[in-house]
Amino acid sequence: MPLPLKRTIYTGTFISTPTPTTLEILENHAIAVDEHGVIIDRIAFPPKREDSVLSPSRDEVVGWVERNWGTEDGWEWVRVGEGREGRGWWFPGFVDTHIHASQYPNVGIFGKSTLLDWLNTYTFPLESSLSSLTIARRVYSSCVARTLSHGTTTASYFATKHVASTNLLADICMQKGQRAFIGRVCMDNDLNPDYLRDESPEQAVEDTKATIAHIDSVDPNHALITPIITPRFVPSCSSPLLSGLGALAKESYLPIQTHLSENTSEIALVRRQFPTHNSYSHVYDTHGLLTPKTVLAHCVHLSPEERILLKERRSKISHCPVSNTSISSGLCPVRVLLDDGIDVGLGTDVSGGYSASILVAAREAAMVSRTLAALIAEEEPQSEEKDQQGVDPDKELLAKHSTSAKDRKKLSVEECLYLATKGGAKCLGFEQRVGGFEVGMEWDAQLVELDDAAEDGADEDGEEEEEEEEGRADAGAAGPVELWGRETWGEMVAKWLFCGDDRNTKKVFVRGRLVHERR
C-alpha cells in the first residue's frame, strides 16, 4: 500500500486552461494540497522586490505561509523557479480519452492497410497473446509507465476480452498511481477471429461484470480506477450483445466507450449489418449505448442528423488526430462538433495512433484543424458590377469572409490544451475533480521545464557569444525547446505545445502523489 500523503505546498507559476479560450497564468503563486491530494488554497506571493529577479527567499515564504496557513510544521515544499525563473511551470495532467493499452507493442506499425485489414493482420494476433499474464504484465506495465512519463495522469484504456489480464491492467494502474478507466473489450460475432471471440452475448456480459467486480474490490469508491463498459464497435458485436451491454450500463450507471464512424468502409459495413437503422449512431442509440457517460472515438464522418442525436444524448467524442486508421479516410471537423455543442476530448488511439503522448495529439489537433481550414474552397465573387477602376466592389468583403471562415476552422493553442486537460476530463465525467488548479480539485499535475541553453549563450546586449563547434553540437541537448529570453509565458507554452516532448515533463503527480520523475 502507498504511504500516506503529507500536506504539500507547491510554488512557482501555474498555467491552465479553465475555458477553451483562456490561458490562465498564475505567476509567483503557491497552492496548498492536503493529505488527501485535494487543493485547499491558492494564494499569490507578495510582489517581487523591484531589485530582484528571483522568487522570494525561503524565509519570506515561511513567513508568508505562517501568516496564511499557520505553522510550517507538517508541510512539505516543492518549489519551481528557484534559480530558473521563467523556465518552468505547473500544468494540469493530461487526459487520454481513448487508448488501447493492449496494442502498445504495435505503436508505429500499420503499413498501408485499411482499418479492418489492420485489425486482422496486426491487432487481433497481438491482443490474443495477452491471454498470457506474463506477456500482459510486460505490455501493460510498459504502457502505463510510458503514458505517465508523457504527463498523462488519466487514461481510458481498452484492454482485451480476457478477464484475468484486464484485471491485471487495473492492478498495474493502481500500483503505479495512474487514474484510469479500464474496459474489458466485448466482441462476439463471426467477423471476429474465432481465437478472439466471446462465446456468447451472455458470457460477454458476465465477463464484463467479473472485471467490474474486481475493480470494485481493489478500489471500491473508484477514487482512482473506474470500470468502463466497452463494446469494441458495432461491426464486432451482435445485436443481443449491444443490448446486453446497454442494459448493464443502465443498471450500473457506469461509463461506456467505443468507436464510431472512423472510416467510410466501416460505416458501409454497419449499414449492411443493420439495414433498418438510420445511421451508425442510431445503432448505438437503439441499444441503449448513447448516454451522457458515453465516449465515442473518432467520429470523422458524422452526418448532421447524427450530430444532433449525439447532442441530444449528451454523448462525448474523443478526437484522435494521430490515428492512421482514421485520418487515412478523412479529418475530424472538431470546430463543427464544438459549434454543435458536443463535448470533445483528445485520445492517442495507440496503436492506431503512432504516439502515446497527448501533447503530440494536441499538436496534431491544431494541424488537422489548419488542414481543414486550408481545404475551404475559395469562392468566386458573384457580383458582376465593378467600380470605375474595374474592381468588383464585393471582392474585398468576400475575401474578409473567406479569411474569417478559414480562421474559424483553426484550433488555438488554448483550445488544444483545453481538449487535452479539462475537455478530456469533462468527457469522462469528472471535470470538477481534475483538469485545473481550482480549490477543491485534486492535484493531478505535471511540472514542465524548458531548456534555457540558448539564452545562456548571449551577453547582456543580446549578442551571441562565440562558441566552439563542440558547444554548438551540445546546444539544446537538455530538451527539444530552446528559449531566447524574450518569450512571454504564452509564447513559451506555444513552443512547448509544438516542439516539446517527454524530456520537458520533469515530475507528474496524481491525487497529490508523485508517480513519475525524470532524472
Side-chain angles (χ1 to χ4, degrees):
M1 293 296 292
L3 296 175
L5 293 174
K6 292 184 178 180
R7 297 184 301 168
T8 306
I9 295 173
Y10 299 88
T11 68
T13 297
F14 301 82
I15 300 178
S16 63
T17 50
T19 73
T21 58
T22 304
L23 190 68
E24 182 180 66
I25 301 169
L26 304 176
E27 189 175 5
N28 212 34
H29 271 61
I31 286 181
V33 177
D34 69 12
E35 61 273 21
H36 304 293
V38 177
I39 298 172
I40 59 173
D41 204 356
R42 68 181 200 183
I43 306 176
F45 282 130
K48 291 182 292 186
R49 299 187 305 272
E50 291 185 2
D51 61 345
S52 173
V53 295
L54 299 177
S55 297
S57 68
R58 180 174 176 83
D59 288 343
E60 290 175 308
V61 172
V62 168
W64 171 83
V65 168
E66 289 179 345
R67 288 191 298 274
N68 289 280
W69 294 317
T71 176
E72 67 161 330
D73 293 342
W75 290 93
E76 288 192 344
W77 298 78
V78 181
R79 304 188 69 187
V80 178
E82 190 171 21
R84 293 177 58 82
E85 187 69 18
R87 300 176 182 91
W89 65 86
W90 296 103
F91 196 78
F94 290 136
V95 179
D96 190 338
T97 58
H98 184 74
I99 175 171
H100 295 263
S102 54
Q103 298 175 21
Y104 179 66
N106 278 354
V107 169
I109 302 175
F110 29 71
K112 297 181 180 179
S113 58
T114 63
L115 171 61
L116 299 179
D117 288 340
W118 174 77
L119 288 171
N120 286 300
T121 303
Y122 298 105
T123 300
F124 290 155
L126 173 61
E127 290 191 9
S128 178
S129 72
L130 269 67
S131 61
S132 163
L133 292 182
T134 300
I135 296 174
R137 182 176 299 278
R138 182 182 177 193
V139 170
Y140 289 150
S141 295
S142 296
C143 180
V144 174
R146 176 66 67 181
T147 53
L148 284 172
S149 75
H150 283 290
T152 297
T153 51
T154 299
S156 190
Y157 287 120
F158 282 61
T160 65
K161 70 174 288 288
H162 312 103
V163 174
S165 60
T166 299
N167 294 349
L168 177 62
L169 173 58
D171 294 341
I172 289 171
C173 290
M174 193 76 176
Q175 292 162 6
K176 290 185 178 294
Q178 187 177 55
R179 193 186 302 273
F181 291 73
I182 305 294
R184 178 202 170 270
V185 177
C186 300
M187 41 196 293
D188 74 323
N189 66 22
D190 57 9
L191 289 179
N192 305 294
D194 55 8
Y195 60 83
L196 196 68
R197 184 188 306 164
D198 286 312
E199 295 177 8
S200 67
E202 296 78 15
Q203 188 61 51
V205 172
E206 289 304 310
D207 286 349
T208 297
K209 290 180 178 179
T211 289
I212 293 171
H214 176 78
I215 294 174
D216 288 347
S217 71
V218 299
D219 191 359
N221 297 319
H222 300 167
L224 203 65
I225 312 298
T226 303
I228 184 167
I229 294 169
T230 307
R232 184 172 211 113
F233 64 161
V234 166
S236 286
C237 300
S238 68
S239 182
L241 175 55
L242 294 173
S243 294
L245 294 175
L248 179 59
K250 184 176 181 180
E251 170 191 332
S252 62
Y253 200 59
L254 286 173
I256 302 164
Q257 63 179 357
T258 189
H259 302 78
L260 175 63
S261 297
E262 187 169 355
N263 63 56
T264 53
S265 297
E266 170 197 359
I267 295 169
L269 176 58
V270 171
R271 189 177 298 116
R272 293 194 298 272
Q273 289 177 304
F274 293 88
T276 62
H277 287 69
N278 298 333
S279 66
Y280 195 162
S281 300
H282 187 231
V283 176
Y284 284 129
D285 191 45
T286 57
H287 291 87
L289 291 167
L290 284 190
T291 77
K293 298 169 75 70
T294 299
V295 180
L296 302 155
H298 306 300
C299 297
V300 177
H301 302 285
L302 297 179
S303 67
E305 293 76 18
E306 287 180 288
R307 299 200 307 270
I308 291 172
L309 177 61
L310 265 57
K311 169 63 175 176
E312 290 176 346
R313 299 294 184 263
R314 293 186 293 142
S315 297
K316 325 299 183 187
I317 290 176
S318 175
H319 176 39
C320 303
V322 298
S323 175
N324 176 73
T325 52
S326 61
I327 61 175
S328 60
S329 168
L331 303 174
C332 182
V334 173
R335 177 64 67 205
V336 173
L337 301 175
L338 295 175
D339 286 348
D340 283 347
I342 299 173
D343 293 324
V344 179
L346 291 180
T348 59
D349 192 35
V350 163
S351 68
Y354 63 80
S355 172
S357 168
I358 282 290
L359 187 66
V360 170
R363 177 184 310 155
E364 293 298 331
M367 301 315 296
V368 165
S369 71
R370 288 173 178 269
T371 301
L372 285 169
L375 293 175
I376 294 179
E378 294 286 355
E379 298 181 29
E380 292 296 329
Q382 300 299 315
S383 173
E384 296 182 358
E385 297 181 4
K386 296 184 179 181
D387 61 16
Q388 294 180 352
Q389 286 75 38
V391 177
D392 185 344
D394 290 338
K395 188 173 184 179
E396 183 177 356
L397 181 60
L398 181 60
K400 288 181 179 179
H401 287 169
S402 177
T403 300
S404 176
K406 286 178 176 293
D407 287 343
R408 278 279 303 142
K409 292 285 186 182
K410 300 174 184 176
L411 297 177
S412 66
V413 168
E414 293 83 358
E415 287 175 307
C416 292
L417 292 175
Y418 176 87
L419 297 181
T421 53
K422 184 160 283 189
K426 191 173 184 181
C427 286
L428 294 171
F430 62 126
E431 70 274 16
Q432 301 302 318
R433 291 171 57 189
V434 303
F437 295 131
E438 292 84 1
V439 172
M441 302 188 80
E442 297 178 17
W443 182 250
D444 283 22
Q446 54 184 310
L447 173 58
V448 178
E449 287 186 355
L450 305 185
D451 181 19
D452 60 345
E455 184 182 0
D456 293 340
D459 61 21
E460 293 181 356
D461 296 325
E463 296 178 355
E464 187 176 6
E465 296 179 351
E466 291 188 17
E467 295 180 300
E468 297 292 338
E469 288 303 317
E470 181 179 353
R472 293 181 188 276
D474 290 339
V481 184
E482 293 181 305
L483 297 181
W484 299 87
R486 302 176 179 86
E487 294 91 347
T488 64
W489 282 112
E491 289 168 343
M492 285 191 285
V493 170
K495 279 195 166 188
W496 172 55
L497 170 63
F498 287 107
C499 306
D501 62 23
D502 58 322
R503 286 171 287 178
N504 301 119
T505 305
K506 304 302 183 181
K507 294 183 180 182
V508 181
F509 293 81
V510 177
R511 298 188 72 218
R513 193 176 306 282
L514 180 65
V515 294
H516 170 76
E517 185 171 15
R518 185 175 182 85
R519 301 184 184 278

